[in-house]
Amino acid sequence: MNLSFVDGSFRNFDGIVGIKSCDCPQERGLTMEFSDERPIYMQIMDLIIQQIVSHELAPGAKVPAVRELALELATNPNTVQRALQELEREQILYTQRGRGRFVTTDEQVLAELGADRTRRIIEEFLQKMQGIGAPPQQALAKLTDFLKEEQK
């Protein structure tokens, strides 16, 4: 997922838009523009994973309730429920009965999430560079040049 940040919000190539959340649920301001190319529940999963990887949702943090997320994302609660269930199945979230859902504290799972997200970003970058005629070595050279310029 490639993200560009503008005024605290981000946009990725899947069309997901999110605004960094605050601790107060009423002011979280989370929004999404769903892409027709992927199921909505998967896009919601991506958003939550991105928030975990970027530490907007810390290990052990409580995840907003299904209804609250559905209202914020302007989508069906059943779709949000499916996304959260899939994240639980993947052991990214866990439920404490009567208390809600929480982000895993398993360091191995969190490290794998970060590594997977990094790999996806690199793959997307290379695909886009190949789309403009730049093979991987040329893409690496351009990235290296860009980083040198940024450090000046």
Side-chain angles (χ1 to χ4, degrees):
M1 180 182 315
N2 187 357
L3 303 175
S4 59
F5 288 87
V6 179
D7 298 327
S9 66
F10 64 83
R11 178 178 297 279
N12 73 15
F13 291 124
D14 295 326
I16 298 173
V17 175
I19 299 174
K20 292 185 180 183
S21 61
C22 70
D23 291 337
C24 25
Q26 304 85 348
E27 298 176 17
R28 190 178 333 276
L30 190 61
T31 61
M32 287 184 79
E33 294 174 12
F34 297 109
S35 165
D36 292 335
E37 296 175 17
R38 295 182 65 222
I40 292 173
Y41 82 93
M42 293 178 83
Q43 294 176 60
I44 295 170
M45 288 175 63
D46 283 345
L47 177 65
I48 293 169
I49 289 170
Q50 179 59 38
Q51 289 182 325
I52 293 168
V53 170
S54 68
H55 305 290
E56 290 177 56
L57 282 174
K62 188 171 195 245
V63 176
V66 170
R67 287 185 183 144
E68 183 180 339
L69 276 175
L71 282 172
E72 290 178 19
L73 299 173
T75 192
N76 189 306
N78 292 331
T79 304
V80 173
Q81 177 68 18
R82 181 169 181 192
L84 296 178
Q85 285 176 332
E86 287 295 316
L87 291 170
E88 278 192 63
R89 189 182 60 74
E90 294 178 17
Q91 299 179 344
I92 296 167
L93 302 179
Y94 65 93
T95 297
Q96 286 185 353
R97 189 172 179 177
R99 294 194 59 221
R101 283 191 175 93
F102 297 84
V103 175
T104 185
T105 56
D106 184 327
E107 291 178 17
Q108 182 176 351
V109 170
L110 294 170
E112 288 173 8
L113 268 182
D116 179 60
R117 190 61 52 178
T118 300
R119 182 175 185 82
R120 282 184 60 189
I121 290 169
I122 292 169
E123 287 172 352
E124 287 180 20
F125 169 73
L126 290 174
Q127 286 174 355
K128 295 223 176 269
M129 292 301 289
Q130 286 177 336
I132 61 169
Q137 290 303 322
Q138 186 180 4
L140 177 60
K142 290 192 178 291
L143 179 59
T144 302
D145 292 344
F146 176 81
L147 292 173
K148 286 178 185 175
E149 283 294 314
E150 287 291 309
Q151 290 176 351
K152 288 182 181 179

mmCIF file of all heavy atoms in Angstrom, residues 25-67:
data_model
loop_
_atom_site.group_PDB
_atom_site.id
_atom_site.type_symbol
_atom_site.label_atom_id
_atom_site.label_comp_id
_atom_site.label_asym_id
_atom_site.label_seq_id
_atom_site.Cartn_x
_atom_site.Cartn_y
_atom_site.Cartn_z
ATOM 1 N N PRO A 25 -13.620 8.989 20.396
ATOM 2 C CA PRO A 25 -14.309 8.379 19.275
ATOM 3 C C PRO A 25 -15.182 9.348 18.479
ATOM 4 O O PRO A 25 -15.284 9.228 17.273
ATOM 5 C CB PRO A 25 -15.166 7.288 19.902
ATOM 6 C CG PRO A 25 -14.877 7.254 21.343
ATOM 7 C CD PRO A 25 -13.934 8.367 21.660
ATOM 8 N N GLN A 26 -15.800 10.324 19.133
ATOM 9 C CA GLN A 26 -16.682 11.237 18.421
ATOM 10 C C GLN A 26 -15.892 12.130 17.467
ATOM 11 O O GLN A 26 -16.438 12.661 16.530
ATOM 12 C CB GLN A 26 -17.452 12.147 19.407
ATOM 13 C CG GLN A 26 -18.251 11.423 20.438
ATOM 14 C CD GLN A 26 -17.428 11.039 21.674
ATOM 15 O OE1 GLN A 26 -16.216 11.113 21.691
ATOM 16 N NE2 GLN A 26 -18.116 10.603 22.708
ATOM 17 N N GLU A 27 -14.593 12.322 17.696
ATOM 18 C CA GLU A 27 -13.793 13.220 16.883
ATOM 19 C C GLU A 27 -12.787 12.475 16.021
ATOM 20 O O GLU A 27 -11.888 13.076 15.472
ATOM 21 C CB GLU A 27 -13.062 14.218 17.790
ATOM 22 C CG GLU A 27 -14.010 15.088 18.584
ATOM 23 C CD GLU A 27 -13.265 16.004 19.536
ATOM 24 O OE1 GLU A 27 -12.054 16.202 19.364
ATOM 25 O OE2 GLU A 27 -13.911 16.513 20.465
ATOM 26 N N ARG A 28 -12.923 11.178 15.891
ATOM 27 C CA ARG A 28 -11.939 10.381 15.167
ATOM 28 C C ARG A 28 -11.839 10.810 13.713
ATOM 29 O O ARG A 28 -10.777 10.872 13.143
ATOM 30 C CB ARG A 28 -12.288 8.889 15.265
ATOM 31 C CG ARG A 28 -11.212 7.996 14.759
ATOM 32 C CD ARG A 28 -11.529 6.528 14.905
ATOM 33 N NE ARG A 28 -12.419 6.168 15.958
ATOM 34 C CZ ARG A 28 -12.074 5.975 17.231
ATOM 35 N NH1 ARG A 28 -10.846 6.131 17.602
ATOM 36 N NH2 ARG A 28 -12.963 5.627 18.127
ATOM 37 N N GLY A 29 -12.962 11.103 13.053
ATOM 38 C CA GLY A 29 -12.946 11.615 11.706
ATOM 39 C C GLY A 29 -12.470 10.614 10.663
ATOM 40 O O GLY A 29 -11.937 10.985 9.643
ATOM 41 N N LEU A 30 -12.667 9.343 10.896
ATOM 42 C CA LEU A 30 -12.221 8.303 9.980
ATOM 43 C C LEU A 30 -13.153 8.228 8.788
ATOM 44 O O LEU A 30 -14.364 8.170 8.950
ATOM 45 C CB LEU A 30 -12.223 6.973 10.733
ATOM 46 C CG LEU A 30 -11.593 5.765 10.103
ATOM 47 C CD1 LEU A 30 -10.118 6.005 9.853
ATOM 48 C CD2 LEU A 30 -11.779 4.580 11.018
ATOM 49 N N THR A 31 -12.597 8.293 7.586
ATOM 50 C CA THR A 31 -13.409 8.202 6.384
ATOM 51 C C THR A 31 -12.726 7.276 5.388
ATOM 52 O O THR A 31 -11.533 7.063 5.454
ATOM 53 C CB THR A 31 -13.592 9.577 5.712
ATOM 54 O OG1 THR A 31 -12.305 10.077 5.349
ATOM 55 C CG2 THR A 31 -14.302 10.548 6.624
ATOM 56 N N MET A 32 -13.523 6.742 4.465
ATOM 57 C CA MET A 32 -12.972 5.898 3.410
ATOM 58 C C MET A 32 -13.724 6.162 2.120
ATOM 59 O O MET A 32 -14.917 6.412 2.132
ATOM 60 C CB MET A 32 -13.113 4.413 3.755
ATOM 61 C CG MET A 32 -12.182 3.927 4.819
ATOM 62 S SD MET A 32 -12.340 2.156 5.090
ATOM 63 C CE MET A 32 -11.405 1.523 3.710
ATOM 64 N N GLU A 33 -12.978 6.091 1.043
ATOM 65 C CA GLU A 33 -13.569 6.063 -0.289
ATOM 66 C C GLU A 33 -13.286 4.665 -0.799
ATOM 67 O O GLU A 33 -12.140 4.317 -1.057
ATOM 68 C CB GLU A 33 -12.927 7.114 -1.186
ATOM 69 C CG GLU A 33 -13.213 8.530 -0.758
ATOM 70 C CD GLU A 33 -12.434 9.542 -1.579
ATOM 71 O OE1 GLU A 33 -11.854 9.166 -2.617
ATOM 72 O OE2 GLU A 33 -12.403 10.690 -1.161
ATOM 73 N N PHE A 34 -14.313 3.847 -0.910
ATOM 74 C CA PHE A 34 -14.120 2.453 -1.268
ATOM 75 C C PHE A 34 -13.892 2.278 -2.760
ATOM 76 O O PHE A 34 -14.530 2.918 -3.575
ATOM 77 C CB PHE A 34 -15.319 1.614 -0.816
ATOM 78 C CG PHE A 34 -15.502 1.606 0.671
ATOM 79 C CD1 PHE A 34 -16.560 2.270 1.257
ATOM 80 C CD2 PHE A 34 -14.611 0.931 1.485
ATOM 81 C CE1 PHE A 34 -16.726 2.272 2.629
ATOM 82 C CE2 PHE A 34 -14.762 0.919 2.854
ATOM 83 C CZ PHE A 34 -15.824 1.589 3.431
ATOM 84 N N SER A 35 -12.986 1.380 -3.085
ATOM 85 C CA SER A 35 -12.698 1.018 -4.472
ATOM 86 C C SER A 35 -13.614 -0.125 -4.874
ATOM 87 O O SER A 35 -13.929 -0.997 -4.059
ATOM 88 C CB SER A 35 -11.234 0.576 -4.567
ATOM 89 O OG SER A 35 -10.995 -0.087 -5.781
ATOM 90 N N ASP A 36 -14.023 -0.148 -6.130
ATOM 91 C CA ASP A 36 -14.849 -1.243 -6.634
ATOM 92 C C ASP A 36 -14.019 -2.481 -6.952
ATOM 93 O O ASP A 36 -14.569 -3.540 -7.236
ATOM 94 C CB ASP A 36 -15.597 -0.804 -7.897
ATOM 95 C CG ASP A 36 -16.653 0.238 -7.600
ATOM 96 O OD1 ASP A 36 -17.134 0.291 -6.452
ATOM 97 O OD2 ASP A 36 -16.991 1.008 -8.522
ATOM 98 N N GLU A 37 -12.692 -2.353 -6.904
ATOM 99 C CA GLU A 37 -11.810 -3.438 -7.317
ATOM 100 C C GLU A 37 -11.622 -4.518 -6.254
ATOM 101 O O GLU A 37 -11.185 -5.622 -6.581
ATOM 102 C CB GLU A 37 -10.448 -2.877 -7.721
ATOM 103 C CG GLU A 37 -10.541 -1.974 -8.937
ATOM 104 C CD GLU A 37 -9.219 -1.326 -9.281
ATOM 105 O OE1 GLU A 37 -8.174 -1.801 -8.800
ATOM 106 O OE2 GLU A 37 -9.247 -0.336 -10.026
ATOM 107 N N ARG A 38 -11.901 -4.205 -5.008
ATOM 108 C CA ARG A 38 -11.720 -5.169 -3.914
ATOM 109 C C ARG A 38 -12.931 -5.118 -3.004
ATOM 110 O O ARG A 38 -13.549 -4.071 -2.842
ATOM 111 C CB ARG A 38 -10.473 -4.814 -3.091
ATOM 112 C CG ARG A 38 -9.200 -4.948 -3.894
ATOM 113 C CD ARG A 38 -7.960 -4.650 -3.076
ATOM 114 N NE ARG A 38 -7.813 -5.643 -2.027
ATOM 115 C CZ ARG A 38 -7.459 -5.344 -0.782
ATOM 116 N NH1 ARG A 38 -7.222 -4.115 -0.427
ATOM 117 N NH2 ARG A 38 -7.345 -6.286 0.122
ATOM 118 N N PRO A 39 -13.245 -6.239 -2.346
ATOM 119 C CA PRO A 39 -14.368 -6.227 -1.399
ATOM 120 C C PRO A 39 -14.144 -5.184 -0.300
ATOM 121 O O PRO A 39 -13.016 -4.977 0.165
ATOM 122 C CB PRO A 39 -14.351 -7.641 -0.820
ATOM 123 C CG PRO A 39 -13.644 -8.478 -1.836
ATOM 124 C CD PRO A 39 -12.633 -7.570 -2.470
ATOM 125 N N ILE A 40 -15.229 -4.553 0.115
ATOM 126 C CA ILE A 40 -15.145 -3.490 1.120
ATOM 127 C C ILE A 40 -14.555 -4.009 2.425
ATOM 128 O O ILE A 40 -13.740 -3.326 3.058
ATOM 129 C CB ILE A 40 -16.530 -2.845 1.335
ATOM 130 C CG1 ILE A 40 -16.929 -2.079 0.071
ATOM 131 C CG2 ILE A 40 -16.540 -1.928 2.553
ATOM 132 C CD1 ILE A 40 -18.337 -1.527 0.091
ATOM 133 N N TYR A 41 -14.922 -5.222 2.853
ATOM 134 C CA TYR A 41 -14.395 -5.718 4.129
ATOM 135 C C TYR A 41 -12.871 -5.823 4.087
ATOM 136 O O TYR A 41 -12.200 -5.578 5.088
ATOM 137 C CB TYR A 41 -15.053 -7.050 4.532
ATOM 138 C CG TYR A 41 -14.474 -8.278 3.887
ATOM 139 C CD1 TYR A 41 -13.456 -8.997 4.529
ATOM 140 C CD2 TYR A 41 -14.935 -8.737 2.662
ATOM 141 C CE1 TYR A 41 -12.924 -10.132 3.938
ATOM 142 C CE2 TYR A 41 -14.414 -9.868 2.074
ATOM 143 C CZ TYR A 41 -13.403 -10.561 2.718
ATOM 144 O OH TYR A 41 -12.864 -11.682 2.144
ATOM 145 N N MET A 42 -12.305 -6.146 2.918
ATOM 146 C CA MET A 42 -10.850 -6.238 2.798
ATOM 147 C C MET A 42 -10.209 -4.850 2.870
ATOM 148 O O MET A 42 -9.129 -4.682 3.436
ATOM 149 C CB MET A 42 -10.462 -6.946 1.502
ATOM 150 C CG MET A 42 -10.854 -8.410 1.498
ATOM 151 S SD MET A 42 -10.438 -9.215 -0.052
ATOM 152 C CE MET A 42 -8.721 -9.576 0.263
ATOM 153 N N GLN A 43 -10.891 -3.853 2.335
ATOM 154 C CA GLN A 43 -10.379 -2.484 2.410
ATOM 155 C C GLN A 43 -10.413 -1.981 3.852
ATOM 156 O O GLN A 43 -9.511 -1.259 4.282
ATOM 157 C CB GLN A 43 -11.192 -1.580 1.489
ATOM 158 C CG GLN A 43 -11.013 -1.943 0.017
ATOM 159 C CD GLN A 43 -11.887 -1.116 -0.886
ATOM 160 O OE1 GLN A 43 -11.767 0.114 -0.914
ATOM 161 N NE2 GLN A 43 -12.770 -1.767 -1.628
ATOM 162 N N ILE A 44 -11.433 -2.370 4.591
ATOM 163 C CA ILE A 44 -11.508 -2.008 6.009
ATOM 164 C C ILE A 44 -10.383 -2.706 6.774
ATOM 165 O O ILE A 44 -9.732 -2.101 7.633
ATOM 166 C CB ILE A 44 -12.898 -2.342 6.591
ATOM 167 C CG1 ILE A 44 -13.964 -1.467 5.928
ATOM 168 C CG2 ILE A 44 -12.909 -2.180 8.112
ATOM 169 C CD1 ILE A 44 -15.394 -1.872 6.237
ATOM 170 N N MET A 45 -10.149 -3.971 6.453
ATOM 171 C CA MET A 45 -9.036 -4.693 7.078
ATOM 172 C C MET A 45 -7.718 -3.966 6.811
ATOM 173 O O MET A 45 -6.904 -3.776 7.723
ATOM 174 C CB MET A 45 -8.948 -6.123 6.538
ATOM 175 C CG MET A 45 -10.042 -7.038 7.026
ATOM 176 S SD MET A 45 -9.981 -8.671 6.234
ATOM 177 C CE MET A 45 -8.388 -9.277 6.791
ATOM 178 N N ASP A 46 -7.511 -3.541 5.559
ATOM 179 C CA ASP A 46 -6.285 -2.822 5.199
ATOM 180 C C ASP A 46 -6.135 -1.537 6.004
ATOM 181 O O ASP A 46 -5.036 -1.197 6.450
ATOM 182 C CB ASP A 46 -6.266 -2.490 3.708
ATOM 183 C CG ASP A 46 -5.918 -3.678 2.840
ATOM 184 O OD1 ASP A 46 -5.410 -4.695 3.370
ATOM 185 O OD2 ASP A 46 -6.152 -3.597 1.622
ATOM 186 N N LEU A 47 -7.238 -0.821 6.178
ATOM 187 C CA LEU A 47 -7.187 0.427 6.937
ATOM 188 C C LEU A 47 -6.768 0.154 8.385
ATOM 189 O O LEU A 47 -5.902 0.841 8.926
ATOM 190 C CB LEU A 47 -8.541 1.137 6.898
ATOM 191 C CG LEU A 47 -8.623 2.422 7.731
ATOM 192 C CD1 LEU A 47 -7.692 3.488 7.176
ATOM 193 C CD2 LEU A 47 -10.044 2.936 7.769
ATOM 194 N N ILE A 48 -7.368 -0.849 8.998
ATOM 195 C CA ILE A 48 -7.041 -1.169 10.393
ATOM 196 C C ILE A 48 -5.596 -1.646 10.497
ATOM 197 O O ILE A 48 -4.859 -1.233 11.405
ATOM 198 C CB ILE A 48 -8.039 -2.198 10.961
ATOM 199 C CG1 ILE A 48 -9.431 -1.556 11.066
ATOM 200 C CG2 ILE A 48 -7.566 -2.716 12.322
ATOM 201 C CD1 ILE A 48 -10.552 -2.512 11.361
ATOM 202 N N ILE A 49 -5.161 -2.486 9.565
ATOM 203 C CA ILE A 49 -3.771 -2.948 9.575
ATOM 204 C C ILE A 49 -2.825 -1.766 9.407
ATOM 205 O O ILE A 49 -1.805 -1.673 10.102
ATOM 206 C CB ILE A 49 -3.542 -4.020 8.488
ATOM 207 C CG1 ILE A 49 -4.248 -5.316 8.893
ATOM 208 C CG2 ILE A 49 -2.045 -4.265 8.265
ATOM 209 C CD1 ILE A 49 -4.300 -6.371 7.805
ATOM 210 N N GLN A 50 -3.153 -0.837 8.511
ATOM 211 C CA GLN A 50 -2.308 0.345 8.326
ATOM 212 C C GLN A 50 -2.220 1.147 9.620
ATOM 213 O O GLN A 50 -1.153 1.642 9.977
ATOM 214 C CB GLN A 50 -2.849 1.219 7.187
ATOM 215 C CG GLN A 50 -2.027 2.482 6.955
ATOM 216 C CD GLN A 50 -0.582 2.199 6.620
ATOM 217 O OE1 GLN A 50 -0.273 1.249 5.913
ATOM 218 N NE2 GLN A 50 0.323 3.019 7.129
ATOM 219 N N GLN A 51 -3.336 1.265 10.336
ATOM 220 C CA GLN A 51 -3.320 2.002 11.600
ATOM 221 C C GLN A 51 -2.474 1.290 12.646
ATOM 222 O O GLN A 51 -1.821 1.931 13.462
ATOM 223 C CB GLN A 51 -4.737 2.218 12.109
ATOM 224 C CG GLN A 51 -5.501 3.222 11.274
ATOM 225 C CD GLN A 51 -6.891 3.480 11.797
ATOM 226 O OE1 GLN A 51 -7.550 2.587 12.310
ATOM 227 N NE2 GLN A 51 -7.342 4.707 11.663
ATOM 228 N N ILE A 52 -2.449 -0.036 12.609
ATOM 229 C CA ILE A 52 -1.621 -0.807 13.545
ATOM 230 C C ILE A 52 -0.150 -0.639 13.190
ATOM 231 O O ILE A 52 0.683 -0.343 14.052
ATOM 232 C CB ILE A 52 -2.031 -2.295 13.547
ATOM 233 C CG1 ILE A 52 -3.433 -2.459 14.145
ATOM 234 C CG2 ILE A 52 -1.013 -3.139 14.323
ATOM 235 C CD1 ILE A 52 -4.048 -3.833 13.948
ATOM 236 N N VAL A 53 0.184 -0.808 11.915
ATOM 237 C CA VAL A 53 1.578 -0.708 11.467
ATOM 238 C C VAL A 53 2.133 0.695 11.712
ATOM 239 O O VAL A 53 3.292 0.853 12.084
ATOM 240 C CB VAL A 53 1.697 -1.109 9.976
ATOM 241 C CG1 VAL A 53 3.058 -0.789 9.411
ATOM 242 C CG2 VAL A 53 1.396 -2.593 9.809
ATOM 243 N N SER A 54 1.304 1.721 11.532
ATOM 244 C CA SER A 54 1.755 3.102 11.734
ATOM 245 C C SER A 54 1.651 3.544 13.198
ATOM 246 O O SER A 54 1.915 4.691 13.508
ATOM 247 C CB SER A 54 0.948 4.053 10.852
ATOM 248 O OG SER A 54 -0.393 4.111 11.300
ATOM 249 N N HIS A 55 1.244 2.638 14.063
ATOM 250 C CA HIS A 55 1.139 2.868 15.512
ATOM 251 C C HIS A 55 0.031 3.840 15.900
ATOM 252 O O HIS A 55 0.037 4.364 17.007
ATOM 253 C CB HIS A 55 2.479 3.311 16.109
ATOM 254 C CG HIS A 55 3.587 2.358 15.808
ATOM 255 N ND1 HIS A 55 3.655 1.109 16.374
ATOM 256 C CD2 HIS A 55 4.647 2.452 14.974
ATOM 257 C CE1 HIS A 55 4.722 0.481 15.910
ATOM 258 N NE2 HIS A 55 5.339 1.273 15.046
ATOM 259 N N GLU A 56 -0.918 4.082 14.991
ATOM 260 C CA GLU A 56 -2.103 4.848 15.375
ATOM 261 C C GLU A 56 -2.960 4.007 16.319
ATOM 262 O O GLU A 56 -3.649 4.548 17.171
ATOM 263 C CB GLU A 56 -2.912 5.235 14.150
ATOM 264 C CG GLU A 56 -2.234 6.275 13.281
ATOM 265 C CD GLU A 56 -3.038 6.578 12.045
ATOM 266 O OE1 GLU A 56 -4.223 6.953 12.196
ATOM 267 O OE2 GLU A 56 -2.489 6.431 10.949
ATOM 268 N N LEU A 57 -2.933 2.689 16.107
ATOM 269 C CA LEU A 57 -3.544 1.736 17.038
ATOM 270 C C LEU A 57 -2.387 0.941 17.639
ATOM 271 O O LEU A 57 -1.746 0.153 16.942
ATOM 272 C CB LEU A 57 -4.507 0.789 16.319
ATOM 273 C CG LEU A 57 -5.875 1.330 15.957
ATOM 274 C CD1 LEU A 57 -6.652 0.323 15.113
ATOM 275 C CD2 LEU A 57 -6.671 1.660 17.211
ATOM 276 N N ALA A 58 -2.101 1.182 18.893
ATOM 277 C CA ALA A 58 -0.957 0.555 19.561
ATOM 278 C C ALA A 58 -1.280 -0.884 19.961
ATOM 279 O O ALA A 58 -2.454 -1.250 20.090
ATOM 280 C CB ALA A 58 -0.600 1.361 20.806
ATOM 281 N N PRO A 59 -0.256 -1.705 20.172
ATOM 282 C CA PRO A 59 -0.500 -3.057 20.684
ATOM 283 C C PRO A 59 -1.312 -2.984 21.979
ATOM 284 O O PRO A 59 -1.032 -2.171 22.859
ATOM 285 C CB PRO A 59 0.910 -3.592 20.948
ATOM 286 C CG PRO A 59 1.791 -2.810 20.028
ATOM 287 C CD PRO A 59 1.159 -1.450 19.952
ATOM 288 N N GLY A 60 -2.368 -3.784 22.053
ATOM 289 C CA GLY A 60 -3.225 -3.801 23.227
ATOM 290 C C GLY A 60 -4.321 -2.741 23.222
ATOM 291 O O GLY A 60 -5.170 -2.722 24.115
ATOM 292 N N ALA A 61 -4.327 -1.860 22.209
ATOM 293 C CA ALA A 61 -5.327 -0.791 22.147
ATOM 294 C C ALA A 61 -6.698 -1.372 21.818
ATOM 295 O O ALA A 61 -6.824 -2.336 21.070
ATOM 296 C CB ALA A 61 -4.947 0.242 21.091
ATOM 297 N N LYS A 62 -7.719 -0.752 22.386
ATOM 298 C CA LYS A 62 -9.094 -1.166 22.104
ATOM 299 C C LYS A 62 -9.504 -0.647 20.732
ATOM 300 O O LYS A 62 -9.266 0.506 20.390
ATOM 301 C CB LYS A 62 -10.040 -0.625 23.168
ATOM 302 C CG LYS A 62 -11.443 -1.172 23.034
ATOM 303 C CD LYS A 62 -12.300 -0.795 24.222
ATOM 304 C CE LYS A 62 -13.524 -1.658 24.200
ATOM 305 N NZ LYS A 62 -14.740 -1.063 24.016
ATOM 306 N N VAL A 63 -10.117 -1.518 19.952
ATOM 307 C CA VAL A 63 -10.613 -1.167 18.627
ATOM 308 C C VAL A 63 -12.055 -0.677 18.790
ATOM 309 O O VAL A 63 -12.813 -1.246 19.576
ATOM 310 C CB VAL A 63 -10.559 -2.406 17.698
ATOM 311 C CG1 VAL A 63 -11.151 -2.102 16.343
ATOM 312 C CG2 VAL A 63 -9.125 -2.901 17.573
ATOM 313 N N PRO A 64 -12.442 0.376 18.075
ATOM 314 C CA PRO A 64 -13.827 0.848 18.183
ATOM 315 C C PRO A 64 -14.826 -0.275 17.888
ATOM 316 O O PRO A 64 -14.540 -1.202 17.129
ATOM 317 C CB PRO A 64 -13.912 1.947 17.119
ATOM 318 C CG PRO A 64 -12.503 2.411 16.954
ATOM 319 C CD PRO A 64 -11.659 1.199 17.157
ATOM 320 N N ALA A 65 -15.996 -0.167 18.479
ATOM 321 C CA ALA A 65 -17.054 -1.162 18.303
ATOM 322 C C ALA A 65 -17.540 -1.186 16.851
ATOM 323 O O ALA A 65 -17.377 -0.219 16.108
ATOM 324 C CB ALA A 65 -18.223 -0.836 19.229
ATOM 325 N N VAL A 66 -18.152 -2.296 16.472
ATOM 326 C CA VAL A 66 -18.631 -2.499 15.103
ATOM 327 C C VAL A 66 -19.549 -1.355 14.681
ATOM 328 O O VAL A 66 -19.371 -0.768 13.603
ATOM 329 C CB VAL A 66 -19.362 -3.859 14.976
ATOM 330 C CG1 VAL A 66 -20.083 -3.967 13.638
ATOM 331 C CG2 VAL A 66 -18.395 -5.004 15.154
ATOM 332 N N ARG A 67 -20.539 -1.033 15.490
ATOM 333 C CA ARG A 67 -21.499 0.008 15.109
ATOM 334 C C ARG A 67 -20.825 1.361 14.955
ATOM 335 O O ARG A 67 -21.150 2.129 14.048
ATOM 336 C CB ARG A 67 -22.627 0.088 16.135
ATOM 337 C CG ARG A 67 -23.560 -1.075 16.040
ATOM 338 C CD ARG A 67 -24.744 -0.920 16.976
ATOM 339 N NE ARG A 67 -25.574 -2.100 16.908
ATOM 340 C CZ ARG A 67 -26.210 -2.619 17.926
ATOM 341 N NH1 ARG A 67 -26.118 -2.057 19.112
ATOM 342 N NH2 ARG A 67 -26.937 -3.696 17.780
#
